[in-house]
């Protein structure tokens, strides 16, 4: 499509003069006319070309628009929505934890949070911080943490500086707030534990969600939340306490500033839990243990509800909630008393003489023990044809003893004989039925099963046959046998119920926060301890009652109790005596870690048992003097509402020491079974539940 | 009136008014153009209200400029085309001088030196050049032997090249491009030989790599981003990505006037100026876009018809160049907003918020109307 060339070699200069009058036009040649005409033709062609070009370009535009607005419409719609919509989680309010009577064990308290919105600060940040520091307490740690958070946060958004202002600090700030543009105090919720240290091992605590937690949780359930239950009820019942986060869909502009709410999906608050714990009993038990390390547990035998569960020492859960600093956490971990370690569930101790009621029951059930038959105790026991002497703690010997006397005096020789008559297999059957050697499956996390030694176990672990001497040691609660305080309390409860029993549990009822409907937790019955004659349990309980009577090892503590109680003292050997040592040194001369553990189990009232107790006081010497007073105080508190017994709890006083003979020692030959702890058993406390803050 | 051997030119006699269009023509106003322009501008004001975040004051000031532009348009339509042809050398020289002055004394805005402060108002001489360029080229070619010979071509190219370069170094690539296009289109309508067009295209292609090194960093970034907008979605590619999201999410029917989220929530930058087409597409959808493009096509088509009916070379070249430059305007802006072309600072004619471009555009249509309504009866 070429433009026709004008034929002219005509005078172009005359053509280039622009506008000319009619006179000039008169002189225009015919060729020029033709030229003008052809020029117009050429122009018309060009216009057509241009018009076609415009149409082509218009079609390109329309095609492109169709592509964007029709074919890819869905894709761009999604991207437009992604641009403006933000999913903002609405964290649920965590459920409250009450004791059985409605006293608060864990609550959410409004916390005043000091926040700074960097964008709104009129002057320099440092200046504001310095002036704020004169009104509220600001540590270097606070400021460093704040700067760290600020770096990761958009500038229009408030950043927390302090998370727990005191009322006084709030007041001081409010008076001066006109000086602090860009600084705000807002209210949030902070978990608080009114009983603090006292119930720390029961309730546990919540703390920041860690990377480790993130691997196991469903993150959708934690939207908007930054804390998770770490130990105790807070952990085991996390799902019930947490609730369900809701969601808001908000519209935000390009700067991220929220403008309006588009949609709201309601979550629901966590459920309120009523624990079986009686906080007054818990407090009493905690106080009764005093400075002692150990554990005290009370169970309602009629339904398995745990009324008190104390592990001493406890710890303050508060710092964990606010975010414990490294030094404090390390100090807790390295504390030799191991405050983070829940002895009630994780401590495995030799039961010592507290096993004897269950041995007696086993003998009666097996039919190998006649309660009336008397055995002569010369102060030691010998297996037929063996030189080795298994000592009674009472050097002189108890002389002729029957079951009642053996129980009240805690005669070892009687139980050596009883164990030997039964044999380890029948012992294992009955002790296992009482719950020893098994996890109790209580509803709070981390427990141990202790060890109920059997022939199979011995062969598996030591590749050795079971020796009769080991049966003897088992008979007096030493040797390989270890139990947890919870198992002891549970066994006492089952004895109280004459062989019946319920699974121990801590959850009493659940309350729906919206409807306030309370659902009780039904007790879960366990199979009975099998016995042809129910009378065997009454027979053992009769002997246990005598322990509290004149001549019994717990008489001093229970003599004036206005209810009928049955119990058994125990002293568990921690360190074996060397063969050439004839007698252990006096208690206060022994290094603390080598001193015996004091144990005590009891229940009351005998005919209508409502509480069963087990107490372990580590390295506190004799059960009757150190552990029994704790149990007495607990039973008093629970049955009477007040503690009648108020003897000073001074188990380490020299006066007491002189009355303590070398109970339960069978030390002639540690190899034969008197070893302090079986080698494959970690010492109590070896694996504290170390939960990172 | 005159003898048959003479060509006599007689000014068109007043004729009985037979229609509204004819009545308007007495005031040198072209009915089709003025209706389409007013419709376009009204549409523009509505979109601007939405795109500016419901700013009545912006709409008002845009309305003022529109009124000013219409006054200028009608005023320019009153003058016969011959006047423009006569004034061409002066106009061109004035625009060139002002451009030079801007370079030496101009105001800085957004890193570019485009404004000349006249005391009462700031003024962009490059806008004046947009008008002066087609007038000057058309006047220069008028009466010369067409298609232009080599010497004429070189002279014309120099006429086009100098101001283009002056504007490009401000730097204002968009306006430079439009001035260049206005000049070259006049040359094209002047019958520039195809072999030279092809030669120029070839040379231009070969010079592209050289041009690359002459570009400012932000201009290079725009080009790279055009080739791959997701290269830097938060940086240089942000404009185009957000613009495509706005357009695409509008769909066939759009989200409705004032309901576009991309502009309202600030995701779309420059939403009331260069990227206003994205707002329009988001809110009024493909159907709205088709209406807009149709209006533009009517305006351009009417301009080409007027050019075709031009009575001399000057009128034809000027009319053709004005009409087609207007189309190039639309194409560059919409193409850029759709992601078809690199980002160049070219506003959407009659819709984008902005002063001088509105006035200079309407001034161009004033001259088109002048061509259309100052017809002389030609008799052979």
């Amino acid at each position: 499509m070429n433009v026709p060339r004008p034929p002219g070699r005509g005078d172009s200069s005359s053509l280039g003069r622009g506008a000319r009058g009619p006179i000039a036009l008169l002189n225009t040649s015919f060729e020029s006319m033709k030229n003008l005409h052809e020029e117009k033709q050429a122009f018309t062609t060009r216009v057509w070309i241009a018009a076609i070009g415009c149409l082509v370009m218009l079609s390109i535009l329309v095609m492109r628009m169709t592509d964007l607005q029709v074919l890819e419409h869905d894709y761009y719609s999604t991207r437009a929505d992604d641009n403006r919509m933000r999913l903002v989680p609405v964290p649920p309010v965590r459920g409250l934890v009450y004791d059985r009577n409605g006293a608060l064990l864990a609550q959410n308290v409004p916390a005043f949070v000091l926040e700074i919105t960097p964008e709104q600060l009129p002057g320099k940040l440092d200046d504001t911080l310095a002036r704020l520091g004169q009104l509220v307490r600001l540590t270097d740690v606070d400021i460093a943490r704040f700067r760290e958070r600020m770096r990761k946060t958009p500038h229009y958004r408030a950043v927390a500086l302090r998370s727990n202002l005191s009322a006084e600090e709030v007041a001081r700030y409010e008076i001066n707030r006109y000086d602090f543009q860009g600084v705000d105090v807002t209210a949030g919720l902070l978990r608080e534990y009114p009983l603090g240290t006292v119930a720390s091992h029961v309730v546990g605590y919540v703390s920041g969600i860690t990377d480790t937690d993130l691997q196991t949780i469903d993150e959708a359930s934690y939207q908007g939340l930054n804390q998770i239950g770490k130990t105790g009820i807070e952990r085991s019942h996390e799902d019930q306490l947490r609730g369900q986060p809701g969601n808001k869909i908000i519209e935000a502009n390009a700067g991220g500033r929220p403008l309006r709410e588009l949609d709201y999906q309601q979550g629901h608050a966590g459920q309120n839990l009523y624990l079986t714990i009686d906080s007054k009993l818990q407090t009493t038990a905690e106080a009764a243990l005093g400075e002692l390390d150990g554990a005290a547990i009370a169970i309602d035998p009629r339904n398995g509800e745990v009324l008190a569960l104390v592990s001493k020492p406890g710890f303050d859960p508060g710092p964990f909630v606010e975010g414990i600093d490294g030094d404090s956490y390390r100090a807790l971990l390295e504390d030799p008393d191991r405050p983070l370690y829940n002895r009630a569930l994780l401590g495995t101790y030799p039961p010592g003489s507290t096993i004897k009621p269950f041995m007696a029951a086993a003998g009666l059930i097996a039919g190998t023990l006649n309660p009336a038959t008397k055995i002569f105790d010369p102060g030691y026991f010998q297996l037929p044809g063996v030189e080795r002497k298994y000592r009674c703690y009472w050097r002189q010997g108890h002389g002729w003893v029957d079951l009642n006397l053996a129980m009240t005096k805690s005669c070892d020789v009687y139980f050596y004989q009883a164990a030997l008559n039964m044999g380890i297999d029948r012992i294992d059957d009955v002790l296992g039925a009482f719950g020893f050697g098994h996890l109790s499956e209580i509803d709070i996390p981390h427990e141990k099963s202790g060890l109920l030694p059997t022939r199979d176990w011995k062969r598996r672990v030591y590749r050795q046959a079971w020796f009769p001497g080991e049966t003897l040691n088992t008979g007096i609660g030493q040797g390989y046998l270890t139990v947890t305080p919870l198992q002891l309390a549970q066994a006492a409860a089952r004895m109280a119920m004459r062989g019946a029993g319920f699974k121990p549990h801590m959850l009493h009822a659940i309350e729906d926060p919206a409807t306030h409907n309370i659902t009780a937790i039904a007790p879960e019955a366990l199979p009975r301890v099998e016995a042809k004659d129910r009378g065997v349990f009454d027979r053992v309980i009769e002997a246990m009652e005598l322990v509290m009577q004149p001549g019994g090892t717990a008489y001093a503590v229970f003599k004036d109790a206005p209810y009928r109680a049955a119990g058994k003292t125990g002293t568990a050997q921690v360190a074996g005596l060397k063969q050439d040592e004839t007698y252990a040194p006096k208690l206060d001369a022994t290094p603390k870690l080598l001193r015996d553990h004091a144990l005590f189990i009891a229940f009351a009232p005998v005919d209508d048992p409502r509480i069963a107790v087990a107490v372990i006081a580590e390295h506190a010497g004799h059960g009757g003097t150190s552990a029994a007073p704790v149990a007495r105080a607990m039973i008093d508190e629970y049955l009477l509402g007040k503690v009648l017994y108020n003897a000073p709890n001074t188990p380490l006083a020299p006066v007491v020491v002189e009355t303590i003979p070398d109970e339960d020692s069978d030390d002639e030959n540690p190899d034969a079974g008197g070893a302090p702890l079986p080698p494959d058993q970690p010492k109590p406390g070896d694996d504290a539940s170390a939960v990172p803050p | 009136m005159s003898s048959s051997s003479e060509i006599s030119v007689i000014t068109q006699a007043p004729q009985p008014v037979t229609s509204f269009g004819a009545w308007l023509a007495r005031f040198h106003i072209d009915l089709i153009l003025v209706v389409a322009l007013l419709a376009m501008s009204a549409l523009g004001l509505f979109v601007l209200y939405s795109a500016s975040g419901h700013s009545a004051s912006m709409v008002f000031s845009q309305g003022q400029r529109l009124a000013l532009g219409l006054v200028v348009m009608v005023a320019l339509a009153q003058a016969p085309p011959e006047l423009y042809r006569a004034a061409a050398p002066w106009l061109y020289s004035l625009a060139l001088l002002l451009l030079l002055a801007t370079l030496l004394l101009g105001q800085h805005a957004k890193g570019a030196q485009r404004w000349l402060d006249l005391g009462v108002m700031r003024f962009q001489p490059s806008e004046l050049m947009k008008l002066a360029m087609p007038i000057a080229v058309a006047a220069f070619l008028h009466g010369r032997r067409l298609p232009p010979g080599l010497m004429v071509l070189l002279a014309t190219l120099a006429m086009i090249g100098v101001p283009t370069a002056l504007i490009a170094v401000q730097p204002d690539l968009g306006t430079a491009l439009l001035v260049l296009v206005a000049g070259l289109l006049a040359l094209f309508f002047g019958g520039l030989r195809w072999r030279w067009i092809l030669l120029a295209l070839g040379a231009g292609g070969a010079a592209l790599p050289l041009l690359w090194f002459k570009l400012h960093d932000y201009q290079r970034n725009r080009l790279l981003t055009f080739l791959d907008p997701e290269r830097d979605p938060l940086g240089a590619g942000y404009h185009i990505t957000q613009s495509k999201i706005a357009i695409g999410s509008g769909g066939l029917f759009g989200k409705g006037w004032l309901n576009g989220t991309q502009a309202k929530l600030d995701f779309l930058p420059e939403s009331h100026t260069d990227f206003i087409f994205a707002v329009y597409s988001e809110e009024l959808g493909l159907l709205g876009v088709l209406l807009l493009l149709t209006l533009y096509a009517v305006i351009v088509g009417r301009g080409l018809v007027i050019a075709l009916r031009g009575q001399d070379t000057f009128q034809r070249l000027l009319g053709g160049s004005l009409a087609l430059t207007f189309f190039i305007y639309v194409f560059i802006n919409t193409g850029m907003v759709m992601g078809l072309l690199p980002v160049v600072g070219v506003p959407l004619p009659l819709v984008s918020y902005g002063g001088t471009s509105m006035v200079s555009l309407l001034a161009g249509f004033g001259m088109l109307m002048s061509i259309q309504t100052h017809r002389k009866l030609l008799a052979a």
Side-chain angles (χ1 to χ4, degrees):
Chain A
M1 194 180 289
N2 216 327
V3 181
R5 289 185 65 178
R9 345 108 289 197
D11 185 8
S12 64
S13 64
S14 72
L15 280 172
R17 282 303 122 223
R20 280 165 297 182
I23 303 304
L25 278 173
L26 287 178
N27 297 332
T28 308
S29 66
F30 175 73
E31 273 200 14
S32 298
M33 286 294 291
K34 187 185 170 199
N35 186 13
L36 282 174
H37 180 71
E38 284 183 2
E39 202 185 300
K40 189 169 182 201
Q41 281 299 310
F43 177 77
T44 307
T45 315
R46 289 281 159 122
V47 168
W48 278 112
I49 294 171
I52 291 168
C54 286
L55 285 177
V56 169
M57 288 198 273
L58 268 177
S59 331
I60 292 175
L61 293 182
V62 170
M63 272 157 49
R64 173 69 169 180
M65 288 304 285
T66 310
D67 181 39
L68 288 176
Q69 298 201 289
V70 179
L71 302 180
E72 292 190 71
H73 171 62
D74 289 344
Y75 168 74
Y76 285 114
S77 281
T78 312
R79 289 199 57 178
D81 286 346
D82 287 350
N83 265 348
R84 70 190 175 103
M85 290 182 187
R86 301 268 184 289
L87 193 68
V88 177
V90 181
V93 176
R94 196 171 176 86
L96 305 176
V97 181
Y98 300 100
D99 84 341
R100 63 186 303 118
N101 300 316
L104 272 168
L105 298 177
Q107 61 179 333
N108 306 307
V109 292
F112 292 106
V113 179
L114 184 65
E115 291 178 338
I116 293 182
T117 311
E119 186 187 70
Q120 296 171 6
L121 282 183
K124 286 204 166 174
L125 177 64
D126 291 337
D127 169 56
T128 306
L129 288 177
R131 287 187 299 127
L132 268 180
Q134 292 163 5
L135 301 179
V136 302
R137 185 174 55 81
L138 282 184
T139 63
D140 290 347
V141 177
D142 291 330
I143 291 173
R145 202 162 43 186
F146 169 76
R147 288 187 191 281
E148 174 81 14
R149 286 180 192 147
M150 201 176 80
R151 275 198 299 113
K152 299 173 183 168
T153 317
H155 267 208
Y156 59 84
R157 204 173 260 186
V159 181
L161 177 59
R162 275 272 313 281
S163 60
N164 203 3
L165 290 186
S166 71
E168 193 190 328
E169 285 174 318
V170 173
R172 268 203 299 259
Y173 162 78
E174 290 294 340
I175 292 170
N176 295 286
R177 69 176 306 166
Y178 59 87
D179 269 346
F180 290 97
Q181 199 192 332
V183 181
D184 286 300
V185 169
T186 60
L189 289 178
L190 201 65
R191 197 70 160 167
E192 196 205 52
Y193 303 101
L195 286 193
T197 311
V198 173
S200 54
H201 286 291
V202 173
V203 182
Y205 57 82
V206 295
S207 192
I209 299 174
T210 63
D211 290 344
T212 324
D213 295 325
L214 286 176
Q215 289 167 7
T216 54
I217 61 176
D218 171 19
E219 275 189 67
S221 307
Y222 284 85
Q223 287 185 2
L225 294 172
N226 47 28
Q227 296 204 314
I228 185 174
K230 294 287 188 176
T231 63
I233 290 288
E234 292 275 31
R235 173 170 177 149
S236 59
H237 293 76
E238 166 74 17
D239 288 346
Q240 283 159 304
L241 286 169
R242 184 184 58 243
Q244 183 65 39
N247 277 316
K248 272 195 297 198
I249 296 178
I250 57 152
E251 189 174 73
N253 70 5
R257 193 187 299 279
L259 299 175
R260 64 183 173 134
E261 193 174 303
L262 298 176
D263 193 18
Y264 181 56
Q265 267 183 315
Q266 207 169 0
H268 57 76
Q271 290 167 311
N272 298 331
L273 303 184
Y274 286 84
L275 300 192
T276 57
I277 292 290
D278 179 324
S279 59
K280 280 170 77 183
L281 179 61
Q282 178 87 7
T283 311
T284 303
E286 213 270 346
L289 270 167
E291 294 300 306
L292 294 171
D293 291 354
I297 296 172
I299 294 180
D300 187 334
R302 298 165 300 177
N303 49 28
E305 295 191 340
V306 177
L307 303 171
L309 190 146
V310 175
S311 173
K312 286 276 282 184
F315 60 91
D316 179 7
F320 287 94
V321 178
E322 288 174 49
I324 195 166
D325 62 283
D327 286 346
S328 308
Y329 185 58
R330 212 169 303 116
L332 279 173
L333 281 182
E334 290 169 1
D335 187 331
D337 288 333
R338 318 188 64 173
L340 296 182
Y341 170 64
N342 187 356
R343 288 163 166 79
L345 270 59
L346 288 167
T348 51
Y349 304 87
S353 299
T354 54
I355 204 70
K356 286 173 181 169
F358 310 102
M359 283 295 165
L364 292 170
I365 289 169
T368 58
L369 184 73
N370 184 336
T373 305
K374 293 191 173 180
I375 286 176
F376 187 74
D377 170 18
Y380 60 89
F381 182 84
Q382 276 181 305
L383 286 168
V386 178
E387 275 293 302
R388 190 179 298 156
K389 286 181 180 173
Y390 293 85
R391 287 217 187 116
C392 187
Y393 74 93
W394 194 249
R395 285 306 180 78
Q396 304 89 314
H398 289 103
W400 288 100
V401 287
D402 62 1
L403 176 60
N404 285 349
L405 198 61
M407 198 76 87
T408 50
K409 296 294 183 194
S410 199
C411 173
D412 288 342
V413 169
Y414 184 88
F415 283 96
Y416 288 141
Q417 185 65 55
L420 191 64
N421 291 351
M422 262 185 287
I424 188 65
D425 298 334
R426 285 187 281 199
I427 291 176
D428 286 338
D429 284 350
V430 178
L431 259 51
F434 272 105
F436 295 112
H438 306 298
L439 294 175
S440 73
E441 294 174 16
I442 190 171
D443 48 354
I444 57 177
H446 302 312
E447 64 166 328
K448 284 199 166 178
S449 62
L451 178 64
L452 181 61
T454 63
R455 289 181 200 275
D456 281 349
W457 169 83
K458 179 85 188 292
R459 200 172 298 121
R460 207 171 56 240
V461 176
Y462 289 98
R463 304 186 183 286
Q464 276 180 348
W466 184 263
F467 297 126
E470 291 162 346
T471 308
L472 301 190
N473 282 324
T474 308
I476 62 161
Q478 292 286 161
Y480 299 119
L481 179 64
T482 59
V483 303
T484 66
L486 177 65
Q487 284 173 335
L488 268 185
Q490 166 73 351
R494 302 196 64 172
M495 182 65 82
M497 293 298 286
R498 277 71 174 169
F502 298 88
K503 187 182 275 188
H505 59 274
M506 312 262 340
L507 192 57
H508 183 63
I510 298 175
E511 181 185 30
D512 186 307
T515 61
H516 295 287
N517 285 341
I518 295 182
T519 314
I521 301 296
E524 188 180 333
L526 296 172
R528 283 181 159 274
V529 179
E530 280 180 48
K532 278 178 202 138
D533 175 11
R534 292 279 173 77
V536 297
F537 298 110
D538 290 317
R539 187 64 197 78
V540 175
I541 291 167
E542 178 193 327
M544 288 174 74
E545 221 182 327
L546 290 174
V547 173
M548 318 302 223
Q549 302 301 319
T553 47
Y555 172 65
V557 176
F558 277 87
K559 59 187 173 189
D560 59 352
Y563 46 79
R564 286 175 64 201
K568 184 69 193 82
T569 58
T571 303
Q573 211 175 345
V574 173
L577 297 175
K578 294 204 176 75
Q579 186 127 28
D580 52 358
E581 268 183 304
T582 53
Y583 179 63
K586 285 194 175 175
L587 188 58
D588 55 355
T590 312
K592 189 187 171 199
L593 285 177
L594 297 180
R595 291 177 203 161
D596 294 343
H597 296 322
L599 296 94
F600 189 71
I601 60 169
F603 60 86
V606 167
D607 291 332
D608 174 27
R610 288 163 54 201
I611 178 170
V613 175
V615 177
I616 283 184
E618 288 182 1
H619 311 299
H622 184 257
T625 48
S626 306
V630 177
R632 170 73 202 273
M634 291 168 74
I635 298 172
D636 276 7
E637 172 63 46
Y638 190 66
L639 294 182
L640 312 175
K642 60 187 173 183
V643 180
L644 293 179
Y645 177 81
N646 55 4
N649 192 355
T650 51
L652 299 184
V655 161
V656 182
V657 170
E658 284 179 353
T659 68
I660 300 177
D662 170 22
E663 190 187 354
D664 287 2
S665 87
D666 53 344
D667 45 80
E668 275 275 317
N669 202 329
D671 288 343
L677 284 172
D680 68 328
Q681 286 293 298
K683 284 196 172 172
D686 259 358
D687 43 359
S689 54
V691 182
Chain B
M1 271 191 270
S2 50
S3 75
S4 62
S5 63
E6 291 171 351
I7 298 168
S8 68
V9 179
I10 296 171
T11 311
Q12 193 171 6
Q15 291 187 347
V17 174
T18 53
S19 67
F20 183 59
W23 181 76
L24 275 180
R26 286 169 62 181
F27 301 99
H28 303 289
I29 294 170
D30 182 62
L31 176 66
I32 297 178
L33 267 186
V34 86
V35 168
L37 288 173
L38 284 176
M40 196 69 242
S41 309
L43 212 50
L45 290 180
F46 275 96
V47 188
L48 178 64
Y49 181 68
S50 176
S52 63
H54 306 188
S55 166
S57 69
M58 279 173 87
V59 173
F60 184 68
S61 85
Q62 179 85 340
Q64 277 182 320
R65 278 191 286 263
L66 176 63
L68 175 66
L70 289 172
V71 168
V72 169
M73 177 181 84
V74 173
L76 290 183
Q78 307 309 310
E82 286 73 21
L83 185 65
Y84 298 117
R85 195 174 72 202
W90 305 105
L91 203 59
Y92 179 82
S93 306
L94 175 68
L96 200 61
L97 277 173
L98 287 174
L99 273 181
L100 279 168
T102 310
L103 206 60
L104 301 173
L105 318 163
Q107 301 284 308
H108 285 262
K110 288 188 184 177
Q113 207 166 13
R114 299 175 186 173
W115 302 89
L116 199 59
D117 199 336
L118 297 185
V120 281
M121 63 177 285
R122 290 193 304 166
F123 171 74
Q124 271 186 315
S126 52
E127 292 294 334
L128 182 62
M129 187 50 93
K130 274 192 205 167
L131 290 173
M133 179 61 75
I135 296 174
V137 174
F140 183 68
L141 294 181
H142 177 83
R144 285 180 207 281
R145 197 184 61 178
L146 293 179
L150 184 60
M151 292 312 291
V152 174
L153 175 61
L154 289 178
T156 314
L157 285 180
M159 258 172 80
I160 299 170
V162 171
T164 301
L166 285 177
I167 297 169
V169 297
Q170 282 181 353
D172 184 353
L173 215 55
T175 309
L177 196 63
L178 289 168
V179 167
L180 178 72
V181 162
L184 290 180
L185 281 173
L187 202 50
F188 169 80
F189 284 119
L192 181 64
R193 288 201 181 87
W194 286 107
R195 69 176 94 134
W196 286 346
I197 293 177
L198 293 175
L199 191 70
L201 287 177
L208 271 184
L210 282 173
L211 185 66
W212 177 256
F213 293 104
K214 299 297 277 181
L215 287 177
H216 285 255
D217 277 347
Y218 82 93
Q219 292 167 333
R220 277 186 221 178
N221 260 333
R222 281 178 177 181
L223 281 173
L224 284 176
T225 306
F226 163 66
L227 296 175
D228 180 15
E230 306 285 339
R231 184 178 75 108
D232 184 9
L234 294 179
Y238 183 79
H239 280 52
I240 204 63
T241 304
Q242 293 302 332
S243 163
K244 279 160 72 181
I245 291 174
I247 295 173
S249 65
L252 193 56
F253 301 103
K255 297 176 182 172
W257 184 55
L258 301 182
N259 287 337
T261 56
Q262 285 287 98
K264 194 169 68 184
L265 303 177
D266 301 336
F267 290 104
L268 187 67
E270 309 280 347
S271 59
H272 60 283
T273 55
D274 288 356
F275 279 83
I276 200 165
F277 180 70
V279 181
Y280 181 92
S281 311
E282 184 184 18
E283 297 191 347
L284 300 180
L286 184 59
L287 295 181
V289 170
L290 289 178
L291 170 69
L292 183 90
L293 292 180
T294 306
L295 273 178
Y296 279 130
V298 165
I299 293 171
V300 173
R302 180 63 183 170
L304 288 179
V305 167
I306 290 173
L308 270 179
R309 295 171 63 184
Q311 286 180 315
D312 59 28
T313 306
F314 172 74
Q315 293 181 13
R316 287 194 286 265
L317 298 196
L318 177 61
S321 171
L322 285 173
L324 216 57
T325 306
F326 181 78
F327 179 79
I328 295 294
Y329 239 112
V330 175
F331 183 75
I332 291 181
N333 177 270
T334 54
M336 157 187 100
V337 174
M338 293 176 207
L340 282 176
L341 297 173
V343 174
V344 189
V346 172
L348 185 64
L350 304 177
V351 179
S352 283
Y353 183 78
T356 36
S357 92
M358 174 81 104
V359 177
S360 66
L361 273 164
L362 287 171
F365 287 107
M367 289 190 285
L368 269 174
M369 290 183 186
S370 156
I371 295 170
Q372 165 69 8
T373 58
H374 289 88
R375 301 181 63 75
K376 297 179 175 80
L377 289 176
L378 283 177

